[in-house]
């Protein structure tokens, strides 16, 4: 078990975009840990436990995917779990610049951890959690942007 | 009355940039509905009714411009009004990426609605509502960034 | 016949991306002129006449689409044909910046001509003529990036 | 004393990136005023007085650097101090677009004030105050991103 | 004579955008050297001597502006002339990324030379030499994009 | 031997930026093939054989790095060598947009091949082959941008 990657995010909610990145990255790693970062001071849209259960449902048949939540610095979580890679998806140039700052700061703080990026597929490029939340908040049907295992009916906001 | 466009925004406040987009887009459409999106949970700078009255003043002599406010998803508002187009102005590359995500998500949810973009003119490119609010908040004179029909004296924050 | 749009480009070759923009923009205009700009000093990949015939095939059943070639400034061509609009597709932020410069310079030179932008659909965003030419040059199969009416067998480079 | 530059920011906290810009810009100006903008309605991470003392420590031996705090519009502060230049550092393309809007709006409001930009050095490009705050908030060691004169132990959040 | 800046470029041709940058930067420096880089292997649009004479005409009354041509590395030219600054104008985010690479490579090679950036004014942002050449090549009237001292009639391509 | 990655490029010349990407990516793959794409119609700066020998020298002690040259489509080369991954380095937002188009087109043509991206380190971000060639062309010293095994004296242009 050498190549462990952490896929960190708030996943509020986990979208088809996230799902596609994890599934396509799997052959590269021995294990991918989907790590839901939480912050006791920040207001969530969906409760942490709901997000965690949803993601677990999506990967229930995947033995080398683990779903956990964590508080604190992502690089500290990587060290604790023995992960040497941070996995991230890239959608747009704006995404890229933000991810680059984070990844390079992480590397300054812990040079042993490498960030690895995959591209979202073209048809999933516009999908992002902020817009998905906005659709749900206004009573729209966001189901096409969520993995089929995630049923919003399970949780009524 | 076939080609109706919705020009959605929070317009807090409506600037010379917005004014220029609507006036230049008018010959393309039979009617443009300036749709002020509001959100009961979000704090506004100018009250909705003030913003609505200001915009109505700007277009008082334009028969094919309508000013309304709405809550909910923009595409639902389009369907209700029979609009087939969403009109948006583009200022910068950052604007573009944000608008692209929104427009493509909208199209996924309602394939009949097309987003149409016009460019701001060069001299209006730096004008944006966030900076205008900041100027007003600090007691600066923002009048040159507002249509001449909008008099900030009408409303004292 | 008031709202005529010119859709200018070198279309070397015309892709599914171009096709999608023209078809989606049609309801906005009375006529769209697909204008193949040529430059006697520039080396083409496909001959002008081949490109022109291909595009005509794509729109053979569309009465309000015209396909012509022109040399010179795009705005001069617009004036000659009475077009008041330039139609362009936007794919990426880099595209946007380039198109903005061209559009704003055009407007400075001829204030009566407005540039109107539509977005490529997400799945067509990566498609561009430069990469398509590269695929063809190396003997790859680029047919999925071309309208079904365009058969590369018709022209052997 | 002709060429005075204001280097405005919230500096929450002041990083090695800020330090590098000021030190490299010094030969260009007779005086640089590091101006900490504060806003009574906005929540700070570090108190204003702590930030001010930290920056003063960094430049204690620099006669032509002044550290002050101000409330209100940056251009009003420039006028009051006789500064004709606004100094800013540029890190990324996203930074650039934001800075351009601010600088051009400032110039519209006060044409006598020119914004001057220096680039961050490559190794400091990822450093930004938002990420630094995040590291500190989670108990990480951010000291490598702060000037050596700034000791976080001096202030315990 | 301490603060000398080099403003390098091919200036093929020198536009109102270039003119604005030099004139606005003048109070910052003791002297600005407009340095026309040439490359014996590259094909120019306007001959070097024509470009040089045009720029000299624009700044004929400016004692602290010098116009010269040079071949070789820009930083070598700076060292030879004792310039400690490279002056550049920024128009777009794409410009920025290109300029950043050049400036940071220059600094790696000669750490004593600092690049200083000014923004183009909003109305001059779309103006660039490539598009200006294209207009001239096609017989269009580009005079509004050139300093009033530059008369294209002086040189017939 | 399951996870083979192709690192394609023209490497004209191979820089410290390229070197860093390959070395950092090695633990992720069983083998990395550095694939020098050549094009009989395109003019190179350094001859193919020189570039190939230089890169071989850099990785002479690395058993799981192979250096080869190829003509044709990158995805065809991947298929021939059994590679399932394309490795690429990302420097800037402009890079990103270009790489995204290429990667997504590649995936359309051969869905089994995944592009994997690593970031250049901050200090290597400005390094690119085009500028390096420019330095060499003008007689500058580019050695700091090249792996220490590459000695330009070996080849005199």
């Amino acid at each position: 078990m050498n190549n462990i990657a952490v896929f960190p995010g708030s996943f509020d909610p986990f979208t088809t975009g996230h799902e596609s990145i994890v599934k396509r990255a799997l052959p590269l790693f021995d294990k991918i840990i989907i790590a839901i970062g939480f912050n006791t001071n920040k207001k969530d849209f969906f409760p942490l436990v709901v997000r965690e259960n949803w993601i677990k449902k999506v990967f229930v048949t995947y033995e080398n995917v683990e779903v956990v939540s964590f508080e604190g610095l992502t690089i500290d979580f990587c060290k604790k779990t023995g992960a040497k890679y941070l996995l991230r998806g890239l959608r747009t140039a704006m995404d890229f610049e933000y991810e680059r700052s984070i990844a390079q700061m992480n590397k300054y703080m812990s040079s042993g951890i490498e960030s690895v990026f995959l591209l979202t597929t073209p048809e999933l490029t516009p999908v992002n959690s902020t817009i998905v939340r906005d659709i749900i908040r206004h009573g729209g049907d966001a189901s096409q942007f969520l993995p089929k295992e995630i049923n919003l009916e399970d949780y009524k906001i």
Side-chain angles (χ1 to χ4, degrees), chain A:
Chain A
M1 190 68 83
N2 294 306
N3 279 346
I4 302 176
V6 163
F7 183 56
S10 54
F11 307 121
D12 195 8
F14 194 84
T15 67
T16 47
H18 299 128
E19 182 190 18
S20 163
I21 295 294
V22 174
K23 291 191 173 169
R24 284 156 48 215
L26 263 177
L28 260 184
F29 302 102
D30 296 314
K31 184 165 80 173
I32 293 178
I33 303 174
I34 302 176
I36 315 174
F38 70 92
N39 186 329
T40 43
N41 299 320
K42 217 180 122 195
K43 227 181 104 188
D44 297 321
F45 190 75
F46 290 108
L48 181 63
V49 64
V50 170
R51 283 179 276 156
E52 196 171 332
N53 285 338
W54 273 337
I55 305 174
K56 279 180 175 165
K57 264 176 146 179
V58 176
F59 295 97
V60 70
T61 63
Y62 288 77
E63 286 185 15
N64 44 356
V65 175
E66 207 175 295
V67 183
V68 296
S69 60
F70 76 104
E71 189 162 20
L73 286 179
T74 306
I75 52 161
D76 289 340
F77 179 77
C78 288
K79 284 179 205 161
K80 222 177 59 186
T81 55
K84 295 218 179 66
Y85 299 96
L86 274 166
L87 172 67
R88 297 293 288 162
L90 287 176
R91 301 182 305 114
T92 65
M94 220 153 76
D95 260 21
F96 168 72
E97 293 222 327
Y98 175 77
E99 294 290 339
R100 185 179 54 183
S101 283
I102 299 278
Q104 293 182 335
M105 295 277 277
N106 280 339
K107 209 164 159 55
Y108 275 145
M109 295 184 71
S110 180
S111 63
I113 293 169
E114 196 67 62
S115 293
V116 174
F117 297 90
L118 258 63
L119 291 176
T120 52
T121 54
E123 70 278 9
L124 295 178
T125 295
V127 178
N128 76 57
S129 297
T130 308
I131 307 183
V132 168
R133 281 200 301 276
D134 217 50
I135 293 169
I136 296 170
R137 191 180 287 121
H138 286 113
D141 176 12
S143 56
Q144 67 178 300
F145 307 119
L146 302 174
K148 65 178 192 305
E149 293 84 358
I150 296 186
N151 186 347
L152 289 175
E153 298 297 312
D154 292 352
Y155 179 75
K156 276 301 176 192
I157 224 97

